[in-house]
Amino acid sequence: VAVEAAGVRRGERVLDVACGTGNAALAAASRGASVSGLDAAERLIGVARERARAAGIEAEWRVGDAGGLPFPDDSFDVAVSVFGVIFAPAPARAAAELERVVRPGGRIVVTAWIDRGPLAEVMHASRAAATRHLPASPATGDHLDWSDPQAVAGLFTRSTLEVEERSHPFTAASPRAWVDEQFAHHPAWRGMAAALPAPAAAELTDELVEILAAANEDRAGLRVLGPYALYRAVVRS
Ligand SMILES: C[S@@+](CC[C@H](N)C(=O)[O-])C[C@H]1O[C@@H](n2cnc3c(N)ncnc32)[C@H](O)[C@@H]1O
């Protein structure tokens, strides 16, 4: 969706910031773009590199920080960040970096979750359990509500910005299968599962299953929608 919204064309230079395992970069490459992917997690960059190799795609992969991109000014026609740059601890610096590395007239697409709906409720319930049972973790970075178009417009000072709301379907064999999957593999829930007392972890699991079951659109499995903001910026100068 992000690559489509950015209108990526054959031969364009595309940067995927906080690329994880390279989903957007690989989608851009499949449109004939020349792609670079950057992520803070070395292991995920390793997975991205392996995926590209297996697909016969040539791409540049870098371990790095969205707040200090290791590329010269105007290096790219397009930058995308799919639920990625929203995690950078200094949002203003990360947005300025996107504008710096994209040439004037180039496009930037960023997606950000909207704090509404069943997935947001799942996050709130998880945070509440952490607050009840675990020591407070120190605040990291500046807070910015990336789902607030005005706040985001304040970051992209050199661009013209448009926003639209979309939604992403989360699916699984059942609500419980989705929750079990997060506790087994998602870094945040995996960490919580290890740190919470066992009864609290079981209680939280049941609470999350209940939230998802109440919003479930698929009787045979799980399908819930997560709303998100899709920003498209065109760099002016
Ligand atoms: C939810 S994942 C999204 C991954 C990928 N964009 C995708 O759509 O599959 C968030 C990613 O942001 C990365 N990340 C978080 N903070 C970062 C930072 N300051 N600089 C670069 N990457 C960062 C994480 O390592 C993770 O891969």
Side-chain angles (χ1 to χ4, degrees):
V1 170
V3 168
E4 173 78 37
V8 171
R9 295 184 291 269
R10 176 164 298 280
E12 286 194 310
R13 301 158 302 166
V14 176
L15 173 64
D16 182 2
V17 174
C19 66
T21 58
N23 289 325
L26 296 176
S30 73
R31 291 177 158 229
S34 154
V35 302
S36 304
L38 172 137
D39 198 278
E42 192 170 354
R43 194 184 76 76
L44 299 185
I45 285 294
V47 175
R49 187 174 283 121
E50 182 49 35
R51 288 178 75 192
R53 200 197 54 75
I57 289 169
E58 258 196 47
E60 175 190 27
W61 302 106
R62 303 283 282 263
V63 177
D65 181 3
L69 297 174
F71 304 104
D73 297 359
D74 305 341
S75 296
F76 299 97
D77 302 296
V78 171
V80 295
S81 190
V82 180
F83 308 115
V85 74
I86 58 171
F87 296 109
R93 204 165 67 219
E97 279 295 86
L98 287 169
E99 287 184 323
R100 181 184 67 75
V101 301
V102 172
R103 65 161 171 86
R107 294 92 69 203
I108 299 169
V109 168
V110 169
T111 62
W113 296 116
I114 294 173
D115 192 14
R116 193 180 71 228
L119 270 304
E121 277 182 61
V122 159
M123 294 304 297
H124 295 161
S126 302
R127 279 197 205 108
T131 305
R132 273 197 308 277
H133 297 287
L134 302 176
S137 35
T140 51
D142 309 333
H143 173 74
L144 182 100
D145 178 0
W146 279 89
S147 69
D148 174 357
Q150 272 193 333
V152 174
L155 297 183
F156 289 93
T157 53
R158 292 175 45 212
S159 307
T160 306
L161 189 73
E162 290 167 10
V163 62
E164 62 181 287
E165 185 173 326
R166 302 272 188 114
S167 59
H168 177 73
F170 288 78
T171 57
S174 69
R176 191 165 292 275
W178 189 86
V179 174
D180 287 347
E181 169 84 9
Q182 309 315 307
F183 274 88
H185 297 297
H186 188 289
W189 276 292
R190 204 176 141 153
M192 271 186 79
L196 284 176
E203 198 179 302
L204 176 61
T205 302
D206 290 344
E207 189 181 355
L208 302 189
V209 169
E210 220 171 277
I211 292 168
L212 294 174
N216 194 2
E217 297 175 8
D218 176 2
R219 282 176 179 215
L222 172 73
R223 186 177 192 276
V224 289
L225 293 177
Y228 65 93
L230 187 142
Y231 295 97
R232 185 176 182 278
V234 178
V235 180
R236 278 193 304 269
S237 58

